[in-house]
Amino acid sequence: MPLNEREESVLTGIQEWENKLLNYEPNDLEMVYDKSLERSFSLLPEEVQQQFFSAMDSWLFHLHALIQGSQLQMDAKERILTAGRVFHSDIETIEDLKQLTIDQLQYIAQQQIARHRLYSFAQGGIAGSGSSLMLGTDIPAMAVINLRAVQLIAMTYGFEVNTPFEMMSSLKVFHAATLPPRMQGSAWEELMNELKNQKEFYFYEGKEELTDITWIEQPMKQLFKAMAIYYFRRKSVQGIPFISMAIGAGTNYQLTRKVTDFAHKYYQMRYLHRRNNQQ
Protein backbone atom coordinates (compact mmCIF):
# COMPACT_ATOMS: atom_id res chain seq x y z
CA MET A 1 0.00 0.00 0.00
CA PRO A 2 1.61 3.32 -1.05
CA LEU A 3 2.25 5.88 1.68
CA ASN A 4 0.02 8.96 1.79
CA GLU A 5 1.33 12.51 1.64
CA ARG A 6 1.64 12.91 5.41
CA GLU A 7 3.45 9.59 5.81
CA GLU A 8 5.84 10.53 3.01
CA SER A 9 6.57 13.77 4.88
CA VAL A 10 7.38 11.86 8.09
CA LEU A 11 9.58 9.44 6.12
CA THR A 12 11.49 12.36 4.58
CA GLY A 13 12.09 13.79 8.06
CA ILE A 14 13.45 10.44 9.28
CA GLN A 15 15.72 10.15 6.23
CA GLU A 16 17.14 13.64 6.88
CA TRP A 17 17.79 12.69 10.51
CA GLU A 18 19.35 9.41 9.32
CA ASN A 19 21.72 11.25 6.96
CA LYS A 20 22.93 13.47 9.81
CA LEU A 21 23.49 10.36 11.92
CA LEU A 22 25.45 8.55 9.19
CA ASN A 23 27.52 11.63 8.29
CA TYR A 24 28.42 12.57 11.88
CA GLU A 25 32.10 13.49 12.12
CA PRO A 26 33.68 13.00 15.58
CA ASN A 27 36.07 15.70 16.75
CA ASP A 28 39.65 15.05 17.86
CA LEU A 29 38.72 15.02 21.54
CA GLU A 30 36.11 12.32 20.96
CA MET A 31 38.59 10.22 19.01
CA VAL A 32 41.27 10.50 21.71
CA TYR A 33 38.75 9.71 24.46
CA ASP A 34 37.42 6.74 22.52
CA LYS A 35 40.88 5.28 21.94
CA SER A 36 42.01 5.83 25.55
CA LEU A 37 38.84 4.23 26.94
CA GLU A 38 39.15 1.25 24.60
CA ARG A 39 42.86 0.89 25.43
CA SER A 40 42.18 1.01 29.17
CA PHE A 41 39.40 -1.57 29.01
CA SER A 42 41.44 -3.87 26.75
CA LEU A 43 44.04 -4.20 29.54
CA LEU A 44 41.57 -6.47 31.31
CA PRO A 45 41.81 -10.18 30.43
CA GLU A 46 39.52 -11.14 27.56
CA GLU A 47 37.66 -13.60 29.78
CA VAL A 48 36.90 -10.85 32.30
CA GLN A 49 35.63 -8.59 29.49
CA GLN A 50 33.34 -11.34 28.19
CA GLN A 51 31.99 -12.03 31.69
CA PHE A 52 31.34 -8.32 32.22
CA PHE A 53 29.41 -7.83 28.97
CA SER A 54 27.56 -11.13 29.41
CA ALA A 55 26.47 -9.98 32.89
CA MET A 56 25.34 -6.61 31.44
CA ASP A 57 23.31 -8.35 28.72
CA SER A 58 21.70 -10.68 31.25
CA TRP A 59 20.84 -7.72 33.51
CA LEU A 60 19.20 -5.84 30.61
CA PHE A 61 17.19 -8.91 29.54
CA HIS A 62 15.89 -9.48 33.08
CA LEU A 63 15.17 -5.78 33.60
CA HIS A 64 13.25 -5.66 30.31
CA ALA A 65 11.10 -8.65 31.36
CA LEU A 66 10.54 -7.20 34.84
CA ILE A 67 9.36 -3.86 33.44
CA GLN A 68 7.18 -5.49 30.80
CA GLY A 69 5.36 -7.64 33.36
CA SER A 70 4.93 -4.91 35.97
CA GLN A 71 1.54 -3.53 36.94
CA LEU A 72 2.87 -0.04 36.22
CA GLN A 73 3.48 -1.03 32.60
CA MET A 74 0.09 -2.73 32.33
CA ASP A 75 -1.55 0.49 33.52
CA ALA A 76 0.46 2.53 31.00
CA LYS A 77 -0.55 0.12 28.23
CA GLU A 78 -4.21 0.63 29.13
CA ARG A 79 -3.72 4.42 29.02
CA ILE A 80 -2.30 4.10 25.50
CA LEU A 81 -5.31 2.04 24.41
CA THR A 82 -7.67 4.56 26.02
CA ALA A 83 -5.93 7.40 24.15
CA GLY A 84 -6.26 5.39 20.93
CA ARG A 85 -10.00 4.94 21.48
CA VAL A 86 -10.39 8.73 21.41
CA PHE A 87 -9.56 8.50 17.69
CA HIS A 88 -10.93 5.02 16.92
CA SER A 89 -13.60 3.67 19.26
CA ASP A 90 -13.22 -0.05 18.46
CA ILE A 91 -9.54 -0.37 19.49
CA GLU A 92 -9.15 -3.33 21.86
CA THR A 93 -5.51 -4.46 21.53
CA ILE A 94 -2.11 -2.93 20.87
CA GLU A 95 -2.19 -4.41 17.36
CA ASP A 96 -5.38 -2.43 16.66
CA LEU A 97 -3.47 0.85 17.07
CA LYS A 98 -2.09 0.40 13.55
CA GLN A 99 -5.53 1.57 12.35
CA LEU A 100 -4.66 5.10 13.50
CA THR A 101 -2.94 7.67 11.29
CA ILE A 102 0.71 8.60 11.76
CA ASP A 103 -0.29 11.97 13.25
CA GLN A 104 -2.60 10.37 15.81
CA LEU A 105 0.11 7.90 16.83
CA GLN A 106 2.70 10.68 17.07
CA TYR A 107 0.38 12.59 19.40
CA ILE A 108 0.04 9.57 21.74
CA ALA A 109 3.78 8.82 21.55
CA GLN A 110 4.70 12.42 22.39
CA GLN A 111 2.65 12.13 25.58
CA GLN A 112 4.74 9.11 26.63
CA ILE A 113 7.96 10.84 25.63
CA ALA A 114 7.19 14.04 27.56
CA ARG A 115 6.20 12.07 30.65
CA HIS A 116 9.42 10.03 30.70
CA ARG A 117 11.63 13.05 30.08
CA LEU A 118 10.00 14.62 33.12
CA TYR A 119 10.62 11.43 35.13
CA SER A 120 14.31 11.57 34.16
CA PHE A 121 14.61 15.24 35.03
CA ALA A 122 13.06 14.61 38.46
CA GLN A 123 15.19 11.49 39.03
CA GLY A 124 18.36 13.44 38.22
CA GLY A 125 17.38 16.23 40.58
CA ILE A 126 16.74 13.74 43.39
CA ALA A 127 20.06 11.95 42.69
CA GLY A 128 21.84 15.31 42.82
CA SER A 129 20.27 16.30 46.14
CA GLY A 130 23.17 14.82 48.09
CA SER A 131 21.68 11.54 49.30
CA SER A 132 24.14 8.67 48.82
CA LEU A 133 21.23 6.22 48.56
CA MET A 134 19.56 8.20 45.75
CA LEU A 135 22.86 8.64 43.93
CA GLY A 136 23.58 4.92 44.23
CA THR A 137 20.24 3.97 42.65
CA ASP A 138 20.51 6.51 39.82
CA ILE A 139 21.91 4.15 37.15
CA PRO A 140 19.29 1.38 37.71
CA ALA A 141 16.53 4.02 37.85
CA MET A 142 17.66 5.57 34.57
CA ALA A 143 17.82 2.15 32.91
CA VAL A 144 14.23 1.47 34.04
CA ILE A 145 12.93 4.87 32.87
CA ASN A 146 14.54 4.62 29.44
CA LEU A 147 13.75 0.95 28.79
CA ARG A 148 10.18 1.63 29.83
CA ALA A 149 9.97 4.59 27.46
CA VAL A 150 11.21 2.45 24.54
CA GLN A 151 8.62 -0.24 25.33
CA LEU A 152 5.77 2.27 25.49
CA ILE A 153 6.77 3.96 22.22
CA ALA A 154 6.81 0.51 20.60
CA MET A 155 3.32 -0.25 21.95
CA THR A 156 2.02 3.12 20.75
CA TYR A 157 2.92 2.18 17.17
CA GLY A 158 1.20 -1.21 17.52
CA PHE A 159 4.15 -3.45 18.44
CA GLU A 160 3.79 -5.67 21.50
CA VAL A 161 7.19 -6.25 23.12
CA ASN A 162 6.42 -9.76 24.40
CA THR A 163 7.62 -11.73 21.34
CA PRO A 164 11.29 -12.70 20.83
CA PHE A 165 11.74 -10.37 17.86
CA GLU A 166 10.10 -7.33 19.46
CA MET A 167 11.90 -7.90 22.77
CA MET A 168 15.30 -8.00 21.04
CA SER A 169 14.37 -5.04 18.83
CA SER A 170 13.44 -2.86 21.80
CA LEU A 171 16.64 -3.83 23.64
CA LYS A 172 18.73 -3.11 20.53
CA VAL A 173 17.01 0.25 20.12
CA PHE A 174 17.81 1.10 23.76
CA HIS A 175 21.41 -0.02 23.25
CA ALA A 176 21.83 1.94 20.01
CA ALA A 177 20.23 5.05 21.49
CA THR A 178 22.71 5.09 24.39
CA LEU A 179 25.78 4.77 22.14
CA PRO A 180 27.97 7.83 21.46
CA PRO A 181 26.76 9.83 18.42
CA ARG A 182 29.73 8.69 16.30
CA MET A 183 28.62 5.05 16.68
CA GLN A 184 24.86 5.47 16.33
CA GLY A 185 24.92 5.55 12.53
CA SER A 186 26.23 1.99 12.16
CA ALA A 187 23.83 0.77 14.89
CA TRP A 188 20.90 2.37 13.00
CA GLU A 189 22.02 0.72 9.75
CA GLU A 190 22.13 -2.65 11.51
CA LEU A 191 18.57 -2.16 12.79
CA MET A 192 17.36 -1.17 9.30
CA ASN A 193 19.08 -4.17 7.70
CA GLU A 194 17.44 -6.51 10.19
CA LEU A 195 14.08 -4.92 9.41
CA LYS A 196 14.53 -5.38 5.65
CA ASN A 197 15.82 -8.95 5.89
CA GLN A 198 13.33 -10.23 8.48
CA LYS A 199 10.69 -12.41 6.82
CA GLU A 200 8.46 -12.92 9.86
CA PHE A 201 8.35 -10.84 13.00
CA TYR A 202 7.95 -13.37 15.79
CA PHE A 203 11.23 -15.26 16.19
CA TYR A 204 14.48 -13.32 16.27
CA GLU A 205 17.19 -14.54 13.88
CA GLY A 206 19.98 -11.99 14.34
CA LYS A 207 22.84 -11.38 16.73
CA GLU A 208 21.67 -11.59 20.36
CA GLU A 209 24.67 -9.97 22.09
CA LEU A 210 23.98 -6.37 23.03
CA THR A 211 26.77 -4.69 24.95
CA ASP A 212 30.42 -4.52 23.93
CA ILE A 213 33.34 -2.15 24.38
CA THR A 214 31.67 0.52 22.20
CA TRP A 215 28.88 0.84 24.78
CA ILE A 216 31.14 1.32 27.82
CA GLU A 217 31.19 5.09 27.34
CA GLN A 218 27.62 5.51 28.61
CA PRO A 219 28.26 3.87 32.03
CA MET A 220 31.47 5.94 32.25
CA LYS A 221 29.46 9.12 31.67
CA GLN A 222 27.13 8.11 34.49
CA LEU A 223 30.15 7.54 36.72
CA PHE A 224 31.60 10.97 35.88
CA LYS A 225 28.20 12.51 36.59
CA ALA A 226 28.11 10.79 40.00
CA MET A 227 31.61 12.15 40.77
CA ALA A 228 30.55 15.68 39.80
CA ILE A 229 27.41 15.42 41.95
CA TYR A 230 29.45 14.09 44.89
CA TYR A 231 31.91 17.00 44.55
CA PHE A 232 29.28 19.75 44.28
CA ARG A 233 26.70 18.40 46.74
CA ARG A 234 28.25 20.34 49.65
CA LYS A 235 28.09 23.62 47.72
CA SER A 236 24.55 24.59 48.67
CA VAL A 237 22.43 27.72 48.92
CA GLN A 238 20.21 27.76 52.01
CA GLY A 239 20.81 24.03 52.38
CA ILE A 240 19.84 23.14 48.80
CA PRO A 241 22.65 21.85 46.51
CA PHE A 242 21.45 23.60 43.36
CA ILE A 243 24.59 22.88 41.29
CA SER A 244 24.64 19.12 41.89
CA MET A 245 20.87 18.92 41.36
CA ALA A 246 21.22 20.81 38.06
CA ILE A 247 23.99 18.45 36.93
CA GLY A 248 21.90 15.38 37.76
CA ALA A 249 18.65 16.71 36.27
CA GLY A 250 20.27 18.07 33.10
CA THR A 251 22.35 14.97 32.37
CA ASN A 252 19.45 12.56 32.93
CA TYR A 253 17.08 14.66 30.84
CA GLN A 254 19.52 14.76 27.93
CA LEU A 255 20.00 10.99 28.05
CA THR A 256 16.24 10.31 27.96
CA ARG A 257 15.82 12.92 25.22
CA LYS A 258 18.42 11.05 23.14
CA VAL A 259 16.86 7.64 23.82
CA THR A 260 13.27 8.72 23.12
CA ASP A 261 14.23 10.59 19.92
CA PHE A 262 16.03 7.52 18.57
CA ALA A 263 13.28 5.08 19.63
CA HIS A 264 10.57 7.31 18.17
CA LYS A 265 12.33 7.47 14.79
CA TYR A 266 12.80 3.68 14.79
CA TYR A 267 9.18 2.82 15.55
CA GLN A 268 7.89 5.44 13.12
CA MET A 269 10.01 3.68 10.49
CA ARG A 270 8.61 0.30 11.58
CA TYR A 271 5.07 1.67 11.21
CA LEU A 272 5.82 3.09 7.73
CA HIS A 273 7.58 -0.14 6.70
CA ARG A 274 4.52 -2.13 7.69
CA ARG A 275 2.15 0.28 5.91
CA ASN A 276 4.25 0.16 2.76
CA ASN A 277 4.25 -3.64 2.76
CA GLN A 278 0.51 -4.08 3.31
CA GLN A 279 -1.28 -5.54 0.33
Side-chain angles (χ1 to χ4, degrees):
M1 184 184 294
L3 302 181
N4 61 39
E5 186 178 339
R6 181 64 189 129
E7 289 166 344
E8 287 285 2
S9 175
V10 171
L11 180 60
T12 300
I14 295 172
Q15 289 169 341
E16 289 173 358
W17 171 86
E18 182 182 50
N19 286 334
K20 287 180 184 176
L21 208 63
L22 296 173
N23 295 320
Y24 181 85
E25 291 289 339
N27 57 43
D28 292 341
L29 183 62
E30 286 177 314
M31 296 294 287
V32 170
Y33 177 74
D34 185 32
K35 283 184 170 58
S36 61
L37 190 61
E38 187 173 338
R39 194 179 303 116
S40 300
F41 202 78
S42 64
L43 295 175
L44 292 171
E46 190 172 331
E47 186 180 345
V48 174
Q49 293 183 43
Q50 289 175 349
Q51 288 176 347
F52 174 79
F53 291 123
S54 177
M56 288 300 298
D57 283 355
S58 179
W59 181 69
L60 286 172
F61 278 116
H62 284 94
L63 190 60
H64 182 282
L66 189 66
I67 295 167
Q68 182 199 335
S70 68
Q71 186 58 50
L72 199 64
Q73 201 73 335
M74 294 298 103
D75 292 344
K77 176 179 174 179
E78 190 53 45
R79 284 197 299 272
I80 289 171
L81 291 172
T82 301
R85 290 185 195 111
V86 171
F87 302 110
H88 211 296
S89 60
D90 61 353
I91 286 175
E92 296 295 334
T93 67
I94 289 296
E95 182 72 15
D96 293 338
L97 288 166
K98 67 182 181 182
Q99 301 174 41
L100 302 184
T101 67
I102 190 75
D103 286 326
Q104 291 166 343
L105 292 173
Q106 280 187 131
Y107 174 77
I108 299 171
Q110 287 295 347
Q111 290 180 321
Q112 303 301 326
I113 289 169
R115 188 176 288 121
H116 283 78
R117 288 179 182 178
L118 181 60
Y119 293 160
S120 275
F121 185 84
Q123 165 60 29
I126 293 168
S129 65
S131 166
S132 298
L133 176 63
M134 291 296 101
L135 187 56
T137 59
D138 185 55
I139 290 178
M142 284 303 295
V144 169
I145 289 170
N146 288 292
L147 268 173
R148 186 169 184 262
V150 173
Q151 288 184 8
L152 293 177
I153 293 170
M155 284 192 272
T156 298
Y157 282 91
F159 302 100
E160 278 277 19
V161 289
N162 56 3
T163 66
F165 180 83
E166 297 302 343
M167 182 188 73
M168 276 305 302
S169 292
S170 62
L171 282 169
K172 285 202 161 190
V173 167
F174 169 79
H175 168 260
T178 52
L179 286 171
R182 63 188 177 278
M183 297 172 185
Q184 284 186 322
S186 58
W188 175 264
E189 282 189 317
E190 185 181 333
L191 285 165
M192 292 300 102
N193 287 334
E194 284 186 357
L195 184 58
K196 289 171 188 171
N197 297 328
Q198 193 78 15
K199 295 198 169 38
E200 57 90 26
F201 293 89
Y202 186 84
F203 293 107
Y204 183 76
E205 299 169 358
K207 175 186 167 188
E208 294 191 2
E209 292 78 22
L210 290 169
T211 56
D212 54 28
I213 201 164
T214 61
W215 188 71
I216 203 68
E217 186 172 319
Q218 187 56 50
M220 290 301 295
K221 281 183 179 178
Q222 294 296 313
L223 183 61
F224 292 148
K225 179 191 73 178
M227 291 168 63
I229 287 173
Y230 188 82
Y231 176 77
F232 285 108
R233 67 178 181 172
R234 298 191 185 282
K235 300 181 184 299
S236 58
V237 178
Q238 295 182 339
I240 301 174
F242 285 110
I243 297 176
S244 62
M245 289 177 73
I247 291 170
T251 306
N252 284 12
Y253 177 86
Q254 287 302 323
L255 174 59
T256 300
R257 185 171 181 270
K258 187 168 83 161
V259 170
T260 51
D261 279 350
F262 192 100
H264 198 197
K265 295 287 191 302
Y266 174 77
Y267 284 107
Q268 282 179 321
M269 187 63 93
R270 288 285 307 277
Y271 171 87
L272 295 172
H273 179 268
R274 182 170 61 183
R275 285 268 298 122
N276 200 35
N277 285 282
Q278 284 176 344
Q279 300 299 320

